[in-house]
Amino acid sequence: MADKILQVNHLSKAFGSNQVLRDIDFTVAKGDVTSIIGASGSGKSTLLRCINLLEIPTSGEILYHGENVTGRGYNAAAYRSHVGMVFQSFNLFNNMTVLENCIVGQVKVLKKSRDEARTHAMYYLEKVGMAPYINAKPRQISGGQKQRVAIARALAMDPEVLLFDEPTSALDPEMVGEVLNVMRSLAREGMTMLVVTHEMAFARDVSNHVVYMNQGVICEEGTPAEVFGNPQMQETRDFLSRFRNA
Amino acid sequence: MGKFVQLFADIAKLWGKYGSSYITGMRNTLILALVGTVIGCLIGFVCGVLNTIPYTKNDPLPKRFLLKLVRAIVRIYVEVFRGTPMVLQAVFVFYGLPYFTDSALKFTNIWVAAILVVSINTGAYMAESVRGGIISIDPGQTEGAKAIGMNHVQTMTSVILPQALRNIMPQIGNNFIINVKDTSVMFIIGFPDFFAAHRAAVGASYLYFPSATVEMAGYLTMTLIASFLLRWAEKRLDGSSSYELVQEDQLTMTAGTYSHPDRGTPFDERSKEYRDQVSQELKYGRTRGER
Ligand SMILES: Nc1ncnc2c1ncn2[C@@H]1O[C@H](COP(=O)(O)OP(=O)(O)O)[C@@H](O)[C@H]1O
Ligand SMILES: [Mg+2]
């Protein structure tokens, strides 16, 4: 129980009459790399957005180190600074350079000095191979480069968990590899990650836990060997076979 | 031809006698328009921000009530001051204050009254522009800011408003130019602007058309210079269209943490070919990887 960072209990989310998530239960422990797979429309993004409180769950609870974050009056901003998020569409700040993107949160939210924030930002920008581009604006760099900056921006906040929502789905094929490699090295270093992805090789080789979602429920979960090697549910088999044939 | 010679002679005569009052009028017009536009923009920004504070079902009732009330008040303000002529607003404010206070309070300084009217009027227009500027920013920008833990005020001041400001620069410029011209109605409360100088000059000289010519040329000069300066300011805000690559020998990559998938291929952005390609593209202004 000690190193459980996040615990999701009976989480449900409806948009009007559209019940998107139903009774979701799972936990994220320190060092876990969890891949969430499933057809599009199955509620994967909504689940991540609920965890980051970008959407308010209809019912259920999300415990962060045992504390319920969905209650009224909870400081969502402070919680979000511990839970990083990388979006499919990058969402880099268009009015700032690459470096400023990675500094602003540290200065405004974590109240670090600019110098300290700059050094910290440079460390992560070097790590994702974007140090030469610190003076560029987001519109001047490629999709893969943007996503690597977005990862550095999230890392610079020293989050406990990083959420990724299809980080490579908006990229041209030749740029997918550079982003996945960064994510692989993060996993190797022990970063706790929750990754929504259609990259089955990544889910199989990098994560230690795989969650298959279907129509708003967790249909099957387990180790990659269990889910990919010996899926128990017919839906999981059907879903995975689509990737084998492709 | 003779008429033009006559016109020039009349203008010269007017300028000789009233030149300094024309110049003072122009100066007053510019100051009033500038101060009014700046304060109006501030009012517009405050209203625009108040109008876009999000609230959810989860927020406490007093907060939701307060936000709804604020939106209603801003709505009424915008409708009233956009929907009535500024000349009337000037009269309304200038004579309204002493009327209601039995002359205990009145505008002893005409500048205060004029700036107040122009600011409030401009604010009503800007409130809508700012609101439009804010909601036109990709929601992903707000989500990116929230995701790193910024609160509403931080998100607004660091991310959204700078981008909204850039987007509404043309409207701010437009309002300034409109104010340069429309402050001419302020003669109604006795403000000594450029148009008031015309009224004074023709009242004494009866040279209506020559003075109107001076006024036309004067207003056009002021608005043309204003447009030019605004274009320049917009360019400045956009910043450089290219960027400097930081030399790689100053920054050694942290060994072993990240192996580049494209090392040695033309896609390796640390390779020379790639860098050349990038600088070529930047030189020809192509924005890369936009989708
Ligand atoms: N903001 C929203 N308003 C209404 N419906 C939404 C909203 N976001 C997502 N949905 C619906 O929720 C369902 C799941 O969406 P999503 O979580 O994006 O799925 P996935 O990421 O697995 O493709 C879809 O049917 C989608 O139409
Ligand atoms: Mg999705």
Side-chain angles (χ1 to χ4, degrees), chain A residues 49 54 85 87 89-94 153, chain B residues 134-148 155 159-160 163:
Chain A
R49 292 168 59 81
L54 288 175
M85 176 114 171
F87 299 87
S89 51
F90 326 122
N91 296 350
L92 291 181
F93 306 134
N94 293 325
R153 177 177 73 179
Chain B
I134 290 171
I135 59 180
S136 73
I137 305 292
D138 173 13
Q141 296 286 306
T142 306
E143 297 199 339
K146 279 185 172 177
I148 57 171
T155 304
V159 178
I160 306 300
Q163 295 183 51

PDB file of all heavy atoms in Angstrom, chain A residues 49 54 85 87 89-94 153, chain B residues 134-148 155 159-160 163:
ATOM      1  N   ARG A  49      -7.935  11.911 -18.749  1.00  0.00           N
ATOM      2  CA  ARG A  49      -8.340  13.287 -18.442  1.00  0.00           C
ATOM      3  C   ARG A  49      -9.044  13.357 -17.080  1.00  0.00           C
ATOM      4  O   ARG A  49      -8.940  14.364 -16.388  1.00  0.00           O
ATOM      5  CB  ARG A  49      -9.232  13.833 -19.553  1.00  0.00           C
ATOM      6  CG  ARG A  49      -8.452  14.032 -20.872  1.00  0.00           C
ATOM      7  CD  ARG A  49      -9.379  14.286 -22.041  1.00  0.00           C
ATOM      8  NE  ARG A  49     -10.189  15.474 -21.802  1.00  0.00           N
ATOM      9  CZ  ARG A  49      -9.754  16.709 -22.010  1.00  0.00           C
ATOM     10  NH1 ARG A  49      -8.540  16.906 -22.470  1.00  0.00           N
ATOM     11  NH2 ARG A  49     -10.536  17.737 -21.770  1.00  0.00           N
ATOM     12  N   LEU A  54      -8.863  16.995 -15.690  1.00  0.00           N
ATOM     13  CA  LEU A  54      -9.282  17.870 -16.797  1.00  0.00           C
ATOM     14  C   LEU A  54     -10.766  17.621 -17.080  1.00  0.00           C
ATOM     15  O   LEU A  54     -11.437  18.441 -17.690  1.00  0.00           O
ATOM     16  CB  LEU A  54      -8.442  17.611 -18.058  1.00  0.00           C
ATOM     17  CG  LEU A  54      -7.001  18.102 -17.996  1.00  0.00           C
ATOM     18  CD1 LEU A  54      -6.223  17.684 -19.233  1.00  0.00           C
ATOM     19  CD2 LEU A  54      -6.938  19.618 -17.827  1.00  0.00           C
ATOM     20  N   MET A  85       1.266  15.465 -17.846  1.00  0.00           N
ATOM     21  CA  MET A  85       0.466  14.928 -18.948  1.00  0.00           C
ATOM     22  C   MET A  85       1.097  15.336 -20.273  1.00  0.00           C
ATOM     23  O   MET A  85       1.495  16.482 -20.467  1.00  0.00           O
ATOM     24  CB  MET A  85      -0.959  15.477 -18.856  1.00  0.00           C
ATOM     25  CG  MET A  85      -1.858  15.076 -19.991  1.00  0.00           C
ATOM     26  SD  MET A  85      -3.182  14.001 -19.401  1.00  0.00           S
ATOM     27  CE  MET A  85      -4.223  13.915 -20.839  1.00  0.00           C
ATOM     28  N   PHE A  87       0.197  15.304 -24.305  1.00  0.00           N
ATOM     29  CA  PHE A  87      -0.997  15.211 -25.132  1.00  0.00           C
ATOM     30  C   PHE A  87      -0.669  14.743 -26.548  1.00  0.00           C
ATOM     31  O   PHE A  87       0.434  14.958 -27.052  1.00  0.00           O
ATOM     32  CB  PHE A  87      -1.671  16.586 -25.236  1.00  0.00           C
ATOM     33  CG  PHE A  87      -2.115  17.163 -23.919  1.00  0.00           C
ATOM     34  CD1 PHE A  87      -1.235  17.917 -23.148  1.00  0.00           C
ATOM     35  CD2 PHE A  87      -3.402  16.971 -23.457  1.00  0.00           C
ATOM     36  CE1 PHE A  87      -1.636  18.463 -21.941  1.00  0.00           C
ATOM     37  CE2 PHE A  87      -3.817  17.517 -22.250  1.00  0.00           C
ATOM     38  CZ  PHE A  87      -2.932  18.256 -21.492  1.00  0.00           C
ATOM     39  N   SER A  89      -1.789  16.184 -29.108  1.00  0.00           N
ATOM     40  CA  SER A  89      -1.582  17.377 -29.935  1.00  0.00           C
ATOM     41  C   SER A  89      -0.536  18.326 -29.318  1.00  0.00           C
ATOM     42  O   SER A  89      -0.574  19.518 -29.573  1.00  0.00           O
ATOM     43  CB  SER A  89      -2.908  18.105 -30.112  1.00  0.00           C
ATOM     44  OG  SER A  89      -3.515  18.298 -28.847  1.00  0.00           O
ATOM     45  N   PHE A  90       0.365  17.790 -28.521  1.00  0.00           N
ATOM     46  CA  PHE A  90       1.530  18.492 -27.938  1.00  0.00           C
ATOM     47  C   PHE A  90       1.149  19.590 -26.935  1.00  0.00           C
ATOM     48  O   PHE A  90       1.630  19.611 -25.826  1.00  0.00           O
ATOM     49  CB  PHE A  90       2.442  19.093 -29.016  1.00  0.00           C
ATOM     50  CG  PHE A  90       2.531  18.281 -30.276  1.00  0.00           C
ATOM     51  CD1 PHE A  90       2.175  18.820 -31.503  1.00  0.00           C
ATOM     52  CD2 PHE A  90       2.960  16.959 -30.232  1.00  0.00           C
ATOM     53  CE1 PHE A  90       2.241  18.061 -32.656  1.00  0.00           C
ATOM     54  CE2 PHE A  90       3.030  16.196 -31.380  1.00  0.00           C
ATOM     55  CZ  PHE A  90       2.667  16.741 -32.599  1.00  0.00           C
ATOM     56  N   ASN A  91       0.305  20.542 -27.404  1.00  0.00           N
ATOM     57  CA  ASN A  91      -0.117  21.663 -26.545  1.00  0.00           C
ATOM     58  C   ASN A  91       1.044  22.449 -25.952  1.00  0.00           C
ATOM     59  O   ASN A  91       0.984  22.892 -24.803  1.00  0.00           O
ATOM     60  CB  ASN A  91      -1.051  21.175 -25.430  1.00  0.00           C
ATOM     61  CG  ASN A  91      -2.349  20.625 -25.983  1.00  0.00           C
ATOM     62  OD1 ASN A  91      -2.629  20.780 -27.165  1.00  0.00           O
ATOM     63  ND2 ASN A  91      -3.123  19.977 -25.150  1.00  0.00           N
ATOM     64  N   LEU A  92       2.097  22.636 -26.748  1.00  0.00           N
ATOM     65  CA  LEU A  92       3.163  23.540 -26.317  1.00  0.00           C
ATOM     66  C   LEU A  92       2.624  24.963 -26.358  1.00  0.00           C
ATOM     67  O   LEU A  92       1.753  25.278 -27.170  1.00  0.00           O
ATOM     68  CB  LEU A  92       4.378  23.422 -27.252  1.00  0.00           C
ATOM     69  CG  LEU A  92       5.154  22.119 -27.188  1.00  0.00           C
ATOM     70  CD1 LEU A  92       6.331  22.174 -28.163  1.00  0.00           C
ATOM     71  CD2 LEU A  92       5.650  21.847 -25.780  1.00  0.00           C
ATOM     72  N   PHE A  93       3.160  25.830 -25.488  1.00  0.00           N
ATOM     73  CA  PHE A  93       2.701  27.214 -25.476  1.00  0.00           C
ATOM     74  C   PHE A  93       3.268  27.937 -26.701  1.00  0.00           C
ATOM     75  O   PHE A  93       4.476  28.093 -26.839  1.00  0.00           O
ATOM     76  CB  PHE A  93       3.122  27.906 -24.192  1.00  0.00           C
ATOM     77  CG  PHE A  93       2.690  27.167 -22.957  1.00  0.00           C
ATOM     78  CD1 PHE A  93       3.556  26.949 -21.907  1.00  0.00           C
ATOM     79  CD2 PHE A  93       1.400  26.654 -22.861  1.00  0.00           C
ATOM     80  CE1 PHE A  93       3.148  26.248 -20.776  1.00  0.00           C
ATOM     81  CE2 PHE A  93       0.981  25.951 -21.742  1.00  0.00           C
ATOM     82  CZ  PHE A  93       1.868  25.751 -20.695  1.00  0.00           C
ATOM     83  N   ASN A  94       2.384  28.390 -27.570  1.00  0.00           N
ATOM     84  CA  ASN A  94       2.825  28.955 -28.849  1.00  0.00           C
ATOM     85  C   ASN A  94       3.519  30.299 -28.710  1.00  0.00           C
ATOM     86  O   ASN A  94       4.222  30.721 -29.620  1.00  0.00           O
ATOM     87  CB  ASN A  94       1.619  29.114 -29.776  1.00  0.00           C
ATOM     88  CG  ASN A  94       1.053  27.777 -30.185  1.00  0.00           C
ATOM     89  OD1 ASN A  94       1.806  26.815 -30.354  1.00  0.00           O
ATOM     90  ND2 ASN A  94      -0.254  27.685 -30.329  1.00  0.00           N
ATOM     91  N   ARG A 153       9.025  19.335 -20.952  1.00  0.00           N
ATOM     92  CA  ARG A 153       8.263  20.294 -20.147  1.00  0.00           C
ATOM     93  C   ARG A 153       7.592  19.587 -18.969  1.00  0.00           C
ATOM     94  O   ARG A 153       7.608  20.091 -17.833  1.00  0.00           O
ATOM     95  CB  ARG A 153       7.194  20.971 -21.018  1.00  0.00           C
ATOM     96  CG  ARG A 153       6.315  21.931 -20.244  1.00  0.00           C
ATOM     97  CD  ARG A 153       5.310  22.644 -21.117  1.00  0.00           C
ATOM     98  NE  ARG A 153       4.226  21.774 -21.545  1.00  0.00           N
ATOM     99  CZ  ARG A 153       3.209  22.167 -22.292  1.00  0.00           C
ATOM    100  NH1 ARG A 153       3.151  23.418 -22.728  1.00  0.00           N
ATOM    101  NH2 ARG A 153       2.265  21.333 -22.644  1.00  0.00           N
TER     102      ARG A 153
ATOM    103  N   ILE B 134      -9.888  35.538 -26.580  1.00  0.00           N
ATOM    104  CA  ILE B 134      -9.605  34.464 -25.621  1.00  0.00           C
ATOM    105  C   ILE B 134     -10.217  33.153 -26.092  1.00  0.00           C
ATOM    106  O   ILE B 134      -9.550  32.114 -26.086  1.00  0.00           O
ATOM    107  CB  ILE B 134     -10.137  34.829 -24.214  1.00  0.00           C
ATOM    108  CG1 ILE B 134      -9.283  35.961 -23.624  1.00  0.00           C
ATOM    109  CG2 ILE B 134     -10.108  33.623 -23.281  1.00  0.00           C
ATOM    110  CD1 ILE B 134      -9.825  36.548 -22.343  1.00  0.00           C
ATOM    111  N   ILE B 135     -11.484  33.193 -26.532  1.00  0.00           N
ATOM    112  CA  ILE B 135     -12.099  31.909 -26.893  1.00  0.00           C
ATOM    113  C   ILE B 135     -11.583  31.383 -28.231  1.00  0.00           C
ATOM    114  O   ILE B 135     -11.764  30.215 -28.530  1.00  0.00           O
ATOM    115  CB  ILE B 135     -13.652  31.942 -26.873  1.00  0.00           C
ATOM    116  CG1 ILE B 135     -14.205  32.988 -27.826  1.00  0.00           C
ATOM    117  CG2 ILE B 135     -14.180  32.168 -25.470  1.00  0.00           C
ATOM    118  CD1 ILE B 135     -15.724  33.036 -27.806  1.00  0.00           C
ATOM    119  N   SER B 136     -10.875  32.244 -29.001  1.00  0.00           N
ATOM    120  CA  SER B 136     -10.334  31.733 -30.263  1.00  0.00           C
ATOM    121  C   SER B 136      -9.011  30.992 -30.050  1.00  0.00           C
ATOM    122  O   SER B 136      -8.520  30.334 -30.954  1.00  0.00           O
ATOM    123  CB  SER B 136     -10.117  32.879 -31.250  1.00  0.00           C
ATOM    124  OG  SER B 136      -9.000  33.648 -30.856  1.00  0.00           O
ATOM    125  N   ILE B 137      -8.421  31.090 -28.857  1.00  0.00           N
ATOM    126  CA  ILE B 137      -7.175  30.361 -28.596  1.00  0.00           C
ATOM    127  C   ILE B 137      -7.504  28.885 -28.396  1.00  0.00           C
ATOM    128  O   ILE B 137      -8.431  28.540 -27.662  1.00  0.00           O
ATOM    129  CB  ILE B 137      -6.464  30.910 -27.327  1.00  0.00           C
ATOM    130  CG1 ILE B 137      -6.216  32.409 -27.429  1.00  0.00           C
ATOM    131  CG2 ILE B 137      -5.159  30.164 -27.061  1.00  0.00           C
ATOM    132  CD1 ILE B 137      -5.222  32.832 -28.463  1.00  0.00           C
ATOM    133  N   ASP B 138      -6.741  28.029 -29.048  1.00  0.00           N
ATOM    134  CA  ASP B 138      -6.919  26.574 -28.970  1.00  0.00           C
ATOM    135  C   ASP B 138      -7.052  26.128 -27.505  1.00  0.00           C
ATOM    136  O   ASP B 138      -6.191  26.444 -26.681  1.00  0.00           O
ATOM    137  CB  ASP B 138      -5.682  25.935 -29.630  1.00  0.00           C
ATOM    138  CG  ASP B 138      -5.651  24.422 -29.457  1.00  0.00           C
ATOM    139  OD1 ASP B 138      -6.673  23.840 -29.065  1.00  0.00           O
ATOM    140  OD2 ASP B 138      -4.583  23.843 -29.727  1.00  0.00           O
ATOM    141  N   PRO B 139      -8.129  25.408 -27.158  1.00  0.00           N
ATOM    142  CA  PRO B 139      -8.305  24.945 -25.778  1.00  0.00           C
ATOM    143  C   PRO B 139      -7.110  24.113 -25.299  1.00  0.00           C
ATOM    144  O   PRO B 139      -6.857  24.028 -24.095  1.00  0.00           O
ATOM    145  CB  PRO B 139      -9.559  24.069 -25.835  1.00  0.00           C
ATOM    146  CG  PRO B 139     -10.238  24.412 -27.103  1.00  0.00           C
ATOM    147  CD  PRO B 139      -9.231  24.984 -28.043  1.00  0.00           C
ATOM    148  N   GLY B 140      -6.381  23.524 -26.244  1.00  0.00           N
ATOM    149  CA  GLY B 140      -5.188  22.766 -25.885  1.00  0.00           C
ATOM    150  C   GLY B 140      -4.161  23.604 -25.141  1.00  0.00           C
ATOM    151  O   GLY B 140      -3.423  23.090 -24.296  1.00  0.00           O
ATOM    152  N   GLN B 141      -4.132  24.916 -25.419  1.00  0.00           N
ATOM    153  CA  GLN B 141      -3.196  25.794 -24.711  1.00  0.00           C
ATOM    154  C   GLN B 141      -3.551  25.855 -23.228  1.00  0.00           C
ATOM    155  O   GLN B 141      -2.688  25.790 -22.365  1.00  0.00           O
ATOM    156  CB  GLN B 141      -3.229  27.203 -25.320  1.00  0.00           C
ATOM    157  CG  GLN B 141      -2.752  27.256 -26.759  1.00  0.00           C
ATOM    158  CD  GLN B 141      -1.248  27.113 -26.862  1.00  0.00           C
ATOM    159  OE1 GLN B 141      -0.500  27.837 -26.233  1.00  0.00           O
ATOM    160  NE2 GLN B 141      -0.788  26.139 -27.639  1.00  0.00           N
ATOM    161  N   THR B 142      -4.850  25.979 -22.938  1.00  0.00           N
ATOM    162  CA  THR B 142      -5.301  26.000 -21.543  1.00  0.00           C
ATOM    163  C   THR B 142      -5.022  24.663 -20.873  1.00  0.00           C
ATOM    164  O   THR B 142      -4.561  24.613 -19.729  1.00  0.00           O
ATOM    165  CB  THR B 142      -6.812  26.288 -21.491  1.00  0.00           C
ATOM    166  OG1 THR B 142      -7.058  27.485 -22.213  1.00  0.00           O
ATOM    167  CG2 THR B 142      -7.285  26.463 -20.064  1.00  0.00           C
ATOM    168  N   GLU B 143      -5.279  23.575 -21.601  1.00  0.00           N
ATOM    169  CA  GLU B 143      -5.066  22.259 -21.008  1.00  0.00           C
ATOM    170  C   GLU B 143      -3.587  22.020 -20.737  1.00  0.00           C
ATOM    171  O   GLU B 143      -3.219  21.459 -19.704  1.00  0.00           O
ATOM    172  CB  GLU B 143      -5.620  21.167 -21.926  1.00  0.00           C
ATOM    173  CG  GLU B 143      -7.115  21.311 -22.099  1.00  0.00           C
ATOM    174  CD  GLU B 143      -7.785  20.053 -22.586  1.00  0.00           C
ATOM    175  OE1 GLU B 143      -7.089  19.202 -23.169  1.00  0.00           O
ATOM    176  OE2 GLU B 143      -9.004  19.929 -22.392  1.00  0.00           O
ATOM    177  N   GLY B 144      -2.733  22.462 -21.665  1.00  0.00           N
ATOM    178  CA  GLY B 144      -1.299  22.332 -21.446  1.00  0.00           C
ATOM    179  C   GLY B 144      -0.868  23.068 -20.185  1.00  0.00           C
ATOM    180  O   GLY B 144      -0.058  22.569 -19.404  1.00  0.00           O
ATOM    181  N   ALA B 145      -1.449  24.255 -19.976  1.00  0.00           N
ATOM    182  CA  ALA B 145      -1.097  25.051 -18.797  1.00  0.00           C
ATOM    183  C   ALA B 145      -1.641  24.403 -17.517  1.00  0.00           C
ATOM    184  O   ALA B 145      -0.949  24.304 -16.513  1.00  0.00           O
ATOM    185  CB  ALA B 145      -1.645  26.464 -18.940  1.00  0.00           C
ATOM    186  N   LYS B 146      -2.891  23.941 -17.590  1.00  0.00           N
ATOM    187  CA  LYS B 146      -3.473  23.276 -16.420  1.00  0.00           C
ATOM    188  C   LYS B 146      -2.684  22.023 -16.065  1.00  0.00           C
ATOM    189  O   LYS B 146      -2.487  21.721 -14.894  1.00  0.00           O
ATOM    190  CB  LYS B 146      -4.917  22.863 -16.719  1.00  0.00           C
ATOM    191  CG  LYS B 146      -5.929  23.965 -16.566  1.00  0.00           C
ATOM    192  CD  LYS B 146      -7.300  23.356 -16.786  1.00  0.00           C
ATOM    193  CE  LYS B 146      -8.424  24.305 -16.477  1.00  0.00           C
ATOM    194  NZ  LYS B 146      -9.714  23.650 -16.792  1.00  0.00           N
ATOM    195  N   ALA B 147      -2.248  21.309 -17.098  1.00  0.00           N
ATOM    196  CA  ALA B 147      -1.585  20.023 -16.861  1.00  0.00           C
ATOM    197  C   ALA B 147      -0.266  20.185 -16.119  1.00  0.00           C
ATOM    198  O   ALA B 147       0.197  19.240 -15.488  1.00  0.00           O
ATOM    199  CB  ALA B 147      -1.364  19.286 -18.178  1.00  0.00           C
ATOM    200  N   ILE B 148       0.353  21.373 -16.185  1.00  0.00           N
ATOM    201  CA  ILE B 148       1.564  21.545 -15.380  1.00  0.00           C
ATOM    202  C   ILE B 148       1.243  22.273 -14.080  1.00  0.00           C
ATOM    203  O   ILE B 148       2.134  22.742 -13.387  1.00  0.00           O
ATOM    204  CB  ILE B 148       2.704  22.250 -16.142  1.00  0.00           C
ATOM    205  CG1 ILE B 148       2.274  23.606 -16.673  1.00  0.00           C
ATOM    206  CG2 ILE B 148       3.243  21.374 -17.241  1.00  0.00           C
ATOM    207  CD1 ILE B 148       3.440  24.414 -17.235  1.00  0.00           C
ATOM    208  N   THR B 155      -2.565  30.795 -15.945  1.00  0.00           N
ATOM    209  CA  THR B 155      -2.832  30.375 -17.320  1.00  0.00           C
ATOM    210  C   THR B 155      -3.150  31.584 -18.189  1.00  0.00           C
ATOM    211  O   THR B 155      -2.637  31.726 -19.302  1.00  0.00           O
ATOM    212  CB  THR B 155      -4.023  29.403 -17.344  1.00  0.00           C
ATOM    213  OG1 THR B 155      -3.751  28.316 -16.472  1.00  0.00           O
ATOM    214  CG2 THR B 155      -4.272  28.871 -18.744  1.00  0.00           C
ATOM    215  N   VAL B 159      -0.089  32.469 -20.650  1.00  0.00           N
ATOM    216  CA  VAL B 159      -0.295  31.719 -21.892  1.00  0.00           C
ATOM    217  C   VAL B 159      -1.379  32.318 -22.780  1.00  0.00           C
ATOM    218  O   VAL B 159      -1.147  32.581 -23.966  1.00  0.00           O
ATOM    219  CB  VAL B 159      -0.648  30.234 -21.565  1.00  0.00           C
ATOM    220  CG1 VAL B 159      -0.913  29.452 -22.839  1.00  0.00           C
ATOM    221  CG2 VAL B 159       0.468  29.593 -20.760  1.00  0.00           C
ATOM    222  N   ILE B 160      -2.545  32.558 -22.216  1.00  0.00           N
ATOM    223  CA  ILE B 160      -3.689  32.906 -23.066  1.00  0.00           C
ATOM    224  C   ILE B 160      -3.664  34.386 -23.475  1.00  0.00           C
ATOM    225  O   ILE B 160      -3.760  34.710 -24.664  1.00  0.00           O
ATOM    226  CB  ILE B 160      -5.022  32.568 -22.363  1.00  0.00           C
ATOM    227  CG1 ILE B 160      -5.034  31.102 -21.914  1.00  0.00           C
ATOM    228  CG2 ILE B 160      -6.206  32.867 -23.267  1.00  0.00           C
ATOM    229  CD1 ILE B 160      -4.882  30.102 -23.034  1.00  0.00           C
ATOM    230  N   GLN B 163      -1.247  35.577 -26.194  1.00  0.00           N
ATOM    231  CA  GLN B 163      -1.648  35.145 -27.536  1.00  0.00           C
ATOM    232  C   GLN B 163      -2.902  35.884 -27.990  1.00  0.00           C
ATOM    233  O   GLN B 163      -3.029  36.261 -29.162  1.00  0.00           O
ATOM    234  CB  GLN B 163      -1.902  33.639 -27.555  1.00  0.00           C
ATOM    235  CG  GLN B 163      -0.640  32.835 -27.285  1.00  0.00           C
ATOM    236  CD  GLN B 163      -0.878  31.336 -27.370  1.00  0.00           C
ATOM    237  OE1 GLN B 163      -1.431  30.843 -28.352  1.00  0.00           O
ATOM    238  NE2 GLN B 163      -0.474  30.615 -26.350  1.00  0.00           N
TER     239      GLN B 163
END
